Amino acid sequence: ILNVEQSPQSLHVQEGDSTNFTCSFPSSNFYALHWYRWETAKSPEALFVMTLNGDEKKKGRISATLNTKEGYSYLYIKGSQPEDSATYLCVLHGGATNKLIFGTGTLLAVQP
Amino acid sequence: DSGVTQTPKHLITATGQRVTLRCSPRSGDLSVYWYQQSLDQGLQFLIQYYNGEERAKGNILERFSAQQFPDLHSELNLSSLELGDSALYFCASSASGDTQPQHFGDGTRLSIL
């Protein structure tokens, strides 16, 4: 059974703080890892798709890294803003099964 | 606006009934994915279609089925509905394969009475 774990489960930070979350996944059977941002009462919004070990991607103040050998990805937010408040989901695409396995998400709350 | 359209937005029906949820992908996207979000649960992947063919299957019940039509829109059919099927059903589309980002619709909220 493929299991994707995210930590922490929730995070409260002050505006301007930088923060990071972890997504852990089984390193075997890796095909791709997706990060999504999901605001309450909206639909998930794609942030990054990562495929290669050592990948680093950046979008504004948000960046992500990938280590497929040890099975983890980090998502960083620099200088958090209240509008960054959302649940951040990582999704493993397991190549052999073609299935998509969602992590439980990290709920970020940024206090002004 | 993601470009993915789901209809209807809300659906209320009774146990034992059958419903069809519809999804129009973003223009040019070949892959369509269906997800279920039940109360207090995360997103569960149900099924993926690529250019009309089933590509991957997740935790989809036998009472549920889907298809993707030649114009690339997709329908998710839910039959013999049970109270536990009440959920938000999302459709997402991507350009081609699995290394492309998915764009989500706003979802269809299904309530079973």
Side-chain angles (χ1 to χ4, degrees):
Chain A
I1 297 176
L2 294 178
N3 208 28
V4 176
E5 297 186 358
Q6 290 188 247
S7 63
Q9 197 169 7
S10 63
L11 196 53
H12 290 74
V13 301
Q14 291 297 123
E15 182 175 354
D17 288 350
S18 293
T19 186
N20 66 84
F21 332 127
T22 306
C23 172
S24 302
F25 53 87
S27 54
S28 61
N29 209 32
F30 175 87
Y31 187 71
L33 189 85
H34 300 242
W35 278 100
Y36 288 91
R37 180 172 174 276
W38 195 0
E39 284 184 71
T40 303
K42 294 189 178 179
S43 48
E45 173 196 349
L47 289 174
F48 307 112
V49 181
M50 310 182 81
T51 55
L52 298 175
N53 184 43
D55 255 356
E56 289 189 31
K57 297 213 172 177
K58 190 172 170 163
K59 190 176 181 176
R61 294 179 290 99
I62 306 177
S63 59
T65 60
L66 178 67
N67 184 322
T68 59
K69 293 187 188 307
E70 295 181 37
Y72 64 83
S73 175
Y74 292 142
L75 188 81
Y76 301 92
I77 301 180
K78 185 177 175 182
S80 303
Q81 299 296 309
E83 58 264 31
D84 296 329
S85 298
T87 295
Y88 291 82
L89 285 173
C90 71
V91 187
L92 172 69
H93 184 259
T97 64
N98 255 342
K99 291 186 181 180
L100 294 158
I101 313 293
F102 281 74
T104 48
T106 292
L107 175 61
L108 174 68
V110 182
Q111 304 289 341
Chain B
D1 180 13
S2 66
V4 177
T5 304
Q6 287 188 249
T7 57
K9 289 193 186 308
H10 302 277
L11 196 49
I12 302 174
T13 188
T15 55
Q17 297 298 305
R18 173 191 168 94
V19 297
T20 297
L21 312 184
R22 183 188 168 102
C23 171
S24 294
R26 272 190 343 158
S27 177
D29 283 358
L30 298 178
S31 267
V32 169
Y33 306 78
W34 285 99
Y35 298 94
Q36 179 192 56
Q37 186 196 13
S38 302
L39 194 65
D40 295 332
Q41 289 193 16
L43 278 173
Q44 297 289 320
F45 167 61
L46 296 178
I47 198 163
Q48 177 198 359
Y49 279 82
Y50 175 76
N51 205 19
E53 301 286 326
E54 182 184 304
R55 176 117 173 202
K57 226 169 184 177
N59 302 321
I60 188 165
L61 300 173
E62 284 191 12
R63 300 183 285 109
F64 296 0
S65 64
Q67 53 183 326
Q68 187 180 28
F69 295 86
D71 67 353
L72 301 176
H73 90 271
S74 178
E75 292 181 356
L76 178 68
N77 300 296
L78 315 176
S79 61
S80 303
L81 287 168
E82 301 174 1
L83 292 175
D85 297 328
S86 294
L88 186 54
Y89 290 86
F90 283 107
C91 165
S93 72
S94 69
S96 54
D98 309 300
T99 58
Q100 301 293 318
Q102 294 179 32
H103 302 272
F104 282 75
D106 291 335
T108 292
R109 182 164 295 284
L110 175 64
S111 299
I112 313 297
L113 302 179

